[in-house]
């Protein structure tokens, strides 16, 4: 329906023939995939399948051995000045499994520091923005607390606010709820759902199949460094095509 | 015995305090403190640079510094002092004052030791903090400066302070190259009295003990506070810098 040019324009991230090895062990094998603007993609698969490695290559926290990953119309893995790479990274929000908040800074400083230091936003403007974002993740009253005083769920919500403070067009989530106590998973997923509802382009590695079913536009099923299946949640959960995906889903149900 | 000590202090306190100043170079306790303070003040920033170089991904930075640190840590301080005392004038032809020789040697030696402390502090933080900084778009050095070092140095305060204490003790070795410090002054006193070495050097030991003990005491207090902070009792970073404030907050 749409012309190729228009489609190109819609691609937020394009992964082309990406391969990565740790020594002799191939982690990613010639991965090809695309995320269009406004799309929510959930990456699932058994542990050790390369999900986290894949998502970490997108903002080049991991190097790749071959292939390319284009974002903003540029290959983030192309040789470039570190300043350029930093600029590209600042436009990709990243949420870690272990939160990685800065424990020596208050919550509001965690959120406002990078806009100030990286983008040169005036401190009072960044502070106000940070308070708004904290309000949005439901933590306005914790602005002056330190990360060590917060629960895991609260820390992860601060981490999401911190990533959003850079106003990235794309957000990556690397198992954002895996380190949380079960009763805190919901509050983090709720924030992610509201982000998705606002049209944020999101790529999430997660084991929360409920979230995948409700929020994802597409699911990538990864196993042994390859995307074996790309499908809508409905197709994927009702009629998984690949036998490995069928087994994975059967295992989840037990 | 105690009266002997009191008499010695009474007769020689000025020599022990400032050496032969103003009739000669500044010496005694004053010079020991100046030498210690300068060594620490110079060794500390150098140690951070050395630690960063050792953690660098560029071999051209990493290798020379690694060799320097290993050699320095593997050789007795006295050897280094004698080397710089005899070799530097031979190589440069310049007549370097013994104070400068001692200061330089101490800075290199303690810089190397401290750099390992700083490096351990950085490594102990793990990769998560660096990943988080880089993912937000901070440069490597920016992440180091605003995210990694504030935490690493804070966590290592007790170890850093104990290196400071050993720096103060190491200044005594300046005696062998005639740095006019407290030890030098005490031995001058001993040479004049001839008959009371035990009393003279007891005074010397007590003075060093008082200085080093107070620093060690501060280190212990800080260590306890950091342990408590890690346990989540929420003592803030600023509180360590302004201890008076935290006392008033707790009471």
């Amino acid at each position: 329906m749409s012309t190729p040019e228009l489609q190109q324009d819609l691609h937020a991230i394009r992964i082309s023939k990406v391969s990565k090895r740790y020594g002799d062990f191939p982690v990613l094998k010639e991965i090809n995939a695309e995320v269009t603007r406004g799309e929510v993609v959930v990456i699932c698969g058994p542990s050790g399948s390369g999900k986290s490695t894949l998502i970490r290559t997108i903002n080049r926290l991991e190097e790749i051995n071959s292939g390319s990953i284009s974002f903003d119309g540029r290959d983030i893995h192309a040789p470039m000045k570190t300043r350029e790479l930093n600029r590209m990274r600042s436009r990709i929000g990243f949420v870690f499994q272990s939160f990685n908040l800065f424990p020596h800074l208050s919550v509001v400083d965690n959120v406002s520091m990078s806009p100030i230091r990286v983008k040169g936003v005036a401190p009072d403007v960044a502070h106000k923005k940070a308070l708004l974002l904290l309000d949005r993740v439901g933590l306005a009253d914790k602005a002056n607390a330190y990360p060590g005083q917060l629960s895991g769920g609260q820390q992860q919500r601060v981490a999401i606010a911190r990533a959003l403070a850079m106003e990235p067009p794309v957000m990556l989530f690397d198992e954002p709820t895996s380190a949380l106590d079960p009763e805190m998973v919901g509050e983090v997923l709720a924030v992610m759902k509201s982000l998705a509802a606002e049209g944020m382009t999101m790529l999430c590695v997660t084991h929360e199949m409920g979230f995948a079913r409700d929020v994802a536009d597409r699911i990538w099923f990864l196993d042994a460094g390859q995307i074996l299946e790309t499908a809508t949640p409905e197709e994927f959960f009702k009629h998984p095509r690949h036998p490995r995906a069928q087994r994975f889903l059967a295992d989840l149900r037990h | 015995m105690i009266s002997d000590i009191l008499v010695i202090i009474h007769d020689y306190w000025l020599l022990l305090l400032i050496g032969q100043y103003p009739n000669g170079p500044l010496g005694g306790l004053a010079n020991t403190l100046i030498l210690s303070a300068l060594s620490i003040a110079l060794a500390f920033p150098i140690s951070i640079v050395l630690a960063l170089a050792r953690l660098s991904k560029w071999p051209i930075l990493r290798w020379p510094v690694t060799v320097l640190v290993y050699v320095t840590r593997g050789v007795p301080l006295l050897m280094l002092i004698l080397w710089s005392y005899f070799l530097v004038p031979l190589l440069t032809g310049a007549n370097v004052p013994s104070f400068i020789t001692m200061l330089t040697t101490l800075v290199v030696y303690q810089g190397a030791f401290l750099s390992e402390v700083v490096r351990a502090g950085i490594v102990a933080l793990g990769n998560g903090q660096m990943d988080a900084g880089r993912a937000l778009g901070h440069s490597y050095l920016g992440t180091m400066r605003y995210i990694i070092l504030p935490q690493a140095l804070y966590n290592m305060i007790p170890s850093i302070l104990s290196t400071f204490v050993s720096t103060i003790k190491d200044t005594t070795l300046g005696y062998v190259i005639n740095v006019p410090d407290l030890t030098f002054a005490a031995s001058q006193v001993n040479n004049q009295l001839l008959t009371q070495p035990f009393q003279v050097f007891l005074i010397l030991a007590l003075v060093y003990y008082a200085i080093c003990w107070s620093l060690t005491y501060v280190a212990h207090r800080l260590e306890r506070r950091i342990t408590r902070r890690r346990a989540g009792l929420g003592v803030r970073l600023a509180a360590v810098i302004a201890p008076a404030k935290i006392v008033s907050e707790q009471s």
Side-chain angles (χ1 to χ4, degrees):
Chain A
M1 294 226 274
S2 51
T3 65
E5 289 82 9
L6 193 59
Q7 231 171 27
Q8 176 93 25
D9 192 44
L10 283 170
H11 288 137
I13 299 163
R14 173 175 287 191
I15 302 168
S16 313
K17 291 188 168 179
V18 165
S19 296
K20 178 175 175 70
R21 293 181 307 273
Y22 287 127
D24 286 338
F25 180 75
V27 205
L28 301 174
K29 300 174 195 162
E30 298 256 323
I31 294 220
N32 290 294
E34 290 153 2
V35 184
T36 50
R37 247 170 233 171
E39 193 179 26
V40 177
V41 172
V42 163
I43 307 176
C44 65
S47 62
S49 57
K51 307 182 295 287
S52 284
T53 308
L54 175 61
I55 205 166
R56 285 168 61 89
T57 61
I58 293 173
N59 69 349
R60 206 170 164 178
L61 283 181
E62 296 277 353
E63 298 289 338
I64 58 178
N65 295 104
S66 61
S68 69
I69 297 177
S70 81
F71 166 74
D72 273 357
R74 286 190 65 178
D75 177 10
I76 195 167
H77 284 275
M80 64 174 87
K81 291 198 173 110
T82 50
R83 179 183 293 209
E84 275 301 298
L85 177 59
N86 295 338
R87 206 192 58 79
M88 285 185 85
R89 275 184 177 142
S90 73
R91 290 178 44 75
I92 305 174
F94 199 99
V95 176
F96 298 86
Q97 179 178 352
S98 48
F99 331 134
N100 294 344
L101 290 183
F102 307 134
H104 62 303
L105 298 177
S106 68
V107 164
V108 68
D109 288 341
N110 261 277
V111 179
S112 61
M113 171 198 187
S114 303
I116 296 170
R117 300 272 179 221
V118 176
K119 289 170 90 178
V121 176
D124 54 329
V125 176
H127 248 77
K128 265 183 212 147
K129 176 89 190 298
L131 291 175
L132 285 177
L133 284 167
L134 286 171
D135 189 41
R136 182 170 162 188
V137 299
L139 290 170
D141 56 326
K142 298 287 184 191
N144 293 314
Y146 279 74
Q149 300 165 324
L150 304 183
S151 72
Q154 290 171 330
Q155 289 194 49
Q156 193 60 297
R157 285 188 281 153
V158 173
I160 294 173
R162 179 178 71 176
L164 289 174
M166 297 300 283
E167 302 179 324
V170 173
M171 287 281 285
L172 309 179
F173 296 83
D174 185 9
E175 302 203 24
T177 57
S178 299
L180 297 177
D181 290 339
E183 76 267 26
M184 291 168 187
V185 170
E187 63 193 62
V188 172
L189 292 181
V191 170
M192 291 170 65
K193 273 181 192 171
S194 78
L195 264 182
E198 285 163 31
M200 174 64 80
T201 308
M202 293 164 61
L203 192 53
C204 319
V205 173
T206 181
H207 297 294
E208 295 296 328
M209 289 303 131
F211 175 82
R213 200 184 315 242
D214 297 345
V215 182
D217 296 308
R218 273 193 304 157
I219 292 177
W220 300 352
F221 178 74
L222 208 67
D223 183 50
Q226 287 174 304
I227 295 183
L228 296 183
E229 182 159 351
T230 307
T232 65
E234 210 174 66
E235 291 169 349
F236 183 74
F237 287 110
K238 285 200 181 129
H239 311 290
R241 293 187 303 270
H242 200 280
R244 185 68 192 86
Q246 288 163 7
R247 223 171 344 127
F248 175 74
L249 288 170
D251 288 343
L252 280 184
R253 288 191 189 105
H254 290 307
Chain B
M1 162 86 184
I2 289 176
S3 60
D4 291 345
I5 289 176
L6 289 176
V7 169
I8 295 171
I9 292 175
H10 180 262
D11 291 347
Y12 293 102
W13 66 274
L14 196 61
L15 179 68
L16 291 171
L17 200 61
I18 57 171
Q20 282 160 349
Y21 190 81
N23 304 316
L26 182 67
L29 178 61
N31 211 28
T32 289
L33 291 178
I34 290 171
L35 182 59
S36 305
L38 278 177
S39 305
I40 290 166
L42 293 172
F44 186 53
I46 284 175
S47 73
I48 294 174
V49 173
L50 293 181
L52 291 183
R54 281 208 66 189
L55 290 166
S56 169
K57 63 179 174 183
W58 295 311
I60 194 152
L61 283 177
R62 203 170 60 233
W63 281 106
V65 174
T66 304
V67 169
L68 175 80
V69 169
Y70 269 77
V71 168
T72 312
R73 279 165 45 104
V75 171
L77 177 56
L78 192 54
M79 290 309 108
L80 287 180
I81 295 168
L82 293 174
W83 273 349
S84 33
Y85 185 66
F86 292 115
L87 274 182
V88 173
L90 265 182
L91 293 175
T92 62
N95 194 5
V96 186
S98 60
F99 181 87
I100 300 295
T101 305
M102 189 61 198
L103 178 63
T104 316
T105 315
L106 272 178
V107 166
V108 171
Y109 187 75
Q110 297 298 350
F113 268 88
L114 263 180
S115 78
E116 288 293 272
V117 174
V118 173
R119 192 173 68 98
I122 293 172
V123 171
L125 280 185
N127 295 327
Q129 294 287 309
M130 179 55 84
D131 281 352
R134 300 311 299 275
L136 285 160
H138 294 268
S139 64
Y140 177 82
L141 285 179
T143 310
M144 270 294 168
R145 177 166 166 203
Y146 296 113
I147 297 165
I148 308 285
L149 282 177
Q151 297 180 62
L153 295 180
Y154 177 79
N155 292 341
M156 300 314 277
I157 284 174
S159 305
I160 290 169
L161 277 181
S162 57
T163 311
F164 288 176
V165 170
S166 69
T167 305
I168 295 171
K169 289 191 277 193
D170 288 344
T171 59
T172 55
L173 286 172
Y175 175 72
V176 300
I177 58 168
N178 293 327
V179 176
D181 70 340
L182 179 61
T183 309
F184 187 82
S187 85
Q188 277 182 314
V189 173
N190 184 47
N191 289 343
Q192 286 183 26
L193 294 172
L194 287 172
T195 55
Q196 298 173 306
F198 178 76
Q199 288 86 334
V200 171
F201 289 113
L202 185 63
I203 295 171
L204 184 64
L206 286 175
V207 175
Y208 278 115
Y209 185 81
I211 299 168
C212 295
W213 181 84
S214 17
L215 254 179
T216 311
Y217 176 76
V218 171
H220 274 298
R221 289 288 301 262
L222 284 174
E223 202 164 2
R224 279 223 305 274
R225 186 161 292 165
I226 289 169
T227 312
R228 255 185 300 165
R229 182 174 185 266
R230 281 186 184 142
L233 288 173
V235 180
R236 285 160 54 171
L237 183 64
V240 172
I241 296 152
K245 197 177 145 225
I246 195 69
V247 170
S248 63
E249 273 176 10
Q250 280 172 343
S251 56

